[in-house]
Amino acid sequence: MGRFIYNLLMPPVFLAFLPRLIIKYRSRGGWKDTYGERFARFGSREAELKKFHGAIWIHAVSVGETIVALSMIRRYLERFPERKFILSTTTTTGQDVARANIPENTTVIFCPLDFPWMIAKTLELLRPSQLVIFETELWPNLIAMSAKRGIPVTLVNGRLSDHSARGYRKLRGFFAPLLKKFTMILAQSDADTARFLSVSPKAAVQTCGNMKFDQKIPELGNDDILSGYFGDGGEVILAGSTHPGEEELIVRCFKELKTEFPQLKLVLVPRHAERGKDIAEILKKAECSFVCRSLKTFPDEKVDVLLADTTGEMLQLMKDADVVIMGKSFAGHDEGHNLIEPALLSKPVVTGRVLRNFRYLLKVMSEQKAVLTASDEELTAVLRKLLSEREYREALGAKAYEVIGSNRGAVDRTIDALENIRGN
């Protein structure tokens, strides 16, 4: 009954969100040539995809999940080189990253919208041996129709925030049966496992660890891009994956600190590059000298701020920063973003005090004193200490790298679980 109501509501909900989908498609970069696959239109690719019958279909959403999925596929192929994979994404930016880094024995598609006829057509075309879904993507038709065909469905690197768990419990009649359809749910932490079970006590859930700890930084090259904008000398703060409200806060902190550190520079990397124009207005009002990365040219005169209004370059820019602030954790935001990437680059990381989507990761790093947290009011003081004490910030970055290394192993445990399902 629950899925029947869901399918009745899908068309009007889709029509309501269609304008937003169109705006995102037009404004966001990434791979768009095969976007028709979102509507199960595979065209000339059908012959190619039929060659992947029996492959493991892995679904990620956007860039972050895609990077982790690619790492898992590479490790899987090291252990089982005969396996084949289909990697799907939802966003154009995730698709771009997947296609640029595609491993052997792997093809990439857009995941179709969760309409029954689109899912049925895609499953018939792909005929996967397993469906592996990353983190939080609970699409009812994709899950239920795969399970009905006898395809094992596994949620890997699964996480469930308190907020989501409360919402799912209110709709337990819908979500409890849905979670039971998973052959296995491999959760990031014991807390995530408990939250899944609070929604669906009979679901097959076990703790497997966070695969992001196993993440590897891709080859970044030796080019120092930042010197082309800032010149030589001075410390650089990079604020990554920022959201509305955070840029104003960070720019205010930067302006205050620049009176004490005249050579200080700032890199702003918004989570959504299409917000570049809005952030440019903030920088103009703050009277900051800045340039947009999207111009793809270095300025004749060096600037104080680089606005990275592009996609997929954060790690390359982060490589040469001295301090990293991770966004979606200040100015009223508390969901957070992945702290592992800056840690793998041995960067000192500053974030807000609450990361609802990365609670376990923050707990692990905080207990080992490998990250600094701050409120909006404390941010300037925390940054001041890091900028004033080079040895301290380098030690903090080294500790962050060490902690990530000591928590590896979830990828191999996940592969073992998937192979065990395959064997059964």
Side-chain angles (χ1 to χ4, degrees):
M1 177 61 73
R3 196 154 66 91
F4 175 76
I5 296 172
Y6 168 80
N7 285 326
L8 281 179
L9 294 175
M10 268 289 286
V13 170
F14 173 72
L15 289 174
F17 277 89
L18 185 58
R20 184 179 176 186
L21 184 68
I22 293 171
I23 291 171
K24 281 187 176 182
Y25 175 81
R26 289 179 174 176
S27 61
R28 192 168 292 179
W31 177 272
K32 300 178 182 179
D33 291 5
T34 56
Y35 196 75
E37 293 170 357
R38 289 286 279 148
F39 304 91
R41 297 176 60 187
F42 294 93
S44 61
R45 295 197 68 200
E46 290 193 6
E48 171 201 346
L49 294 173
K50 286 177 180 178
K51 296 177 182 179
F52 280 82
H53 284 179
I56 300 172
W57 178 3
I58 297 178
H59 175 57
V61 186
S62 191
V63 173
E65 297 85 359
T66 301
I67 290 172
V68 180
L70 287 166
S71 296
M72 189 188 81
I73 292 172
R74 292 190 192 97
R75 177 58 179 158
Y76 215 130
L77 287 169
E78 287 177 4
R79 295 180 57 183
F80 301 95
E82 71 279 11
R83 298 285 180 260
K84 296 185 293 184
F85 298 91
I86 299 164
L87 174 60
S88 67
T89 75
T90 299
T91 67
T92 56
T93 49
Q95 189 81 183
D96 200 41
V97 169
R99 287 178 171 274
N101 299 278
I102 185 170
E104 60 182 340
N105 292 356
T106 306
T107 192
V108 179
I109 65 169
F110 277 103
C111 187
L113 296 166
D114 200 43
F115 287 102
W117 61 92
M118 295 184 188
I119 297 299
K121 178 181 177 181
T122 304
L123 288 173
E124 180 60 29
L125 173 63
L126 302 183
R127 298 186 186 181
S129 60
Q130 293 190 61
L131 173 61
V132 178
I133 299 173
F134 263 78
E135 296 198 8
T136 58
E137 284 289 278
L138 302 182
W139 292 110
N141 287 318
L142 177 61
I143 295 164
M145 294 174 70
S146 297
K148 188 174 181 179
R149 286 173 173 252
I151 300 168
V153 185
T154 306
L155 186 70
V156 301
N157 221 39
R159 59 182 174 87
L160 192 63
S161 68
D162 283 337
H163 177 75
S164 295
R166 284 193 296 271
Y168 289 2
R169 284 195 293 270
K170 290 178 181 178
L171 299 171
R172 184 179 278 113
F174 177 75
F175 283 104
L178 181 65
L179 293 177
K180 281 180 62 179
K181 291 185 183 299
F182 281 101
T183 306
M184 183 67 67
I185 296 174
L186 304 177
Q188 293 184 12
S189 68
D190 289 338
D192 290 302
T193 294
R195 285 191 282 270
F196 278 114
L197 290 173
S198 74
V199 177
S200 184
K202 294 184 179 180
V205 190
Q206 67 183 50
T207 303
C208 196
N210 190 336
M211 278 197 276
K212 289 183 178 178
F213 282 114
D214 292 49
Q215 186 176 332
K216 295 181 180 179
I217 294 295
E219 193 66 40
L220 297 176
N222 297 319
D223 293 345
D224 181 359
I225 295 173
L226 299 184
S227 63
Y229 295 99
F230 300 147
D232 299 323
E235 290 79 18
V236 176
I237 297 172
L238 182 142
S241 296
T242 57
H243 286 253
E246 293 184 309
E247 293 89 6
E248 291 96 331
L249 170 65
I250 292 166
V251 168
R252 285 199 304 272
C253 294
F254 170 72
K255 294 277 286 185
E256 182 177 345
L257 289 167
K258 196 163 175 62
T259 62
E260 304 171 49
F261 305 92
Q263 298 301 310
L264 184 64
K265 308 296 181 182
L266 174 66
V267 182
L268 288 173
V269 189
R271 174 65 171 177
H272 300 120
E274 61 268 26
R275 293 185 54 242
K277 290 183 180 179
D278 295 334
I279 301 169
E281 289 301 316
I282 293 169
L283 292 169
K284 289 176 184 176
K285 289 180 181 178
E287 298 181 342
C288 293
S289 63
F290 75 97
V291 68
C292 295
R293 174 66 177 160
S294 58
L295 296 176
K296 296 296 183 183
T297 58
F298 293 127
D300 295 330
E301 296 184 9
K302 303 307 179 187
V303 296
D304 290 330
V305 181
L306 171 62
L307 171 53
D309 55 341
T310 53
T311 300
E313 293 192 299
M314 186 167 71
L315 288 177
Q316 185 67 48
L317 299 172
M318 190 182 288
K319 174 178 70 72
D320 296 306
D322 297 287
V323 176
V324 173
I325 305 170
M326 288 308 295
K328 210 174 186 181
S329 62
F330 296 100
H333 300 282
D334 63 359
E335 293 182 341
H337 275 299
N338 186 10
L339 309 179
I340 292 176
E341 291 175 338
L344 288 174
L345 290 169
S346 299
K347 301 299 178 183
V349 187
V350 182
T351 189
R353 295 197 179 282
V354 178
L355 305 185
R356 289 193 290 115
N357 287 345
F358 297 90
R359 181 177 304 159
Y360 178 71
L361 173 58
L362 180 62
K363 179 177 181 291
V364 170
M365 294 185 71
S366 295
E367 287 176 349
Q368 298 296 317
K369 294 181 171 53
V371 63
L372 292 179
T373 62
S375 65
D376 291 1
E377 295 75 20
E378 296 167 337
L379 182 57
T380 300
V382 170
L383 293 173
R384 180 182 291 112
K385 180 175 177 61
L386 287 169
L387 294 171
S388 301
E389 303 178 28
R390 179 172 181 172
E391 290 185 2
Y392 172 63
R393 68 174 183 258
E394 289 181 350
L396 183 65
K399 186 64 177 178
Y401 181 85
E402 176 188 327
V403 168
I404 299 307
S406 66
N407 282 275
R408 295 183 184 275
V411 168
D412 276 327
R413 288 191 292 272
T414 299
I415 294 171
D416 290 342
L418 295 175
E419 283 296 302
N420 184 56
I421 291 170
R422 187 184 187 92
N424 293 333

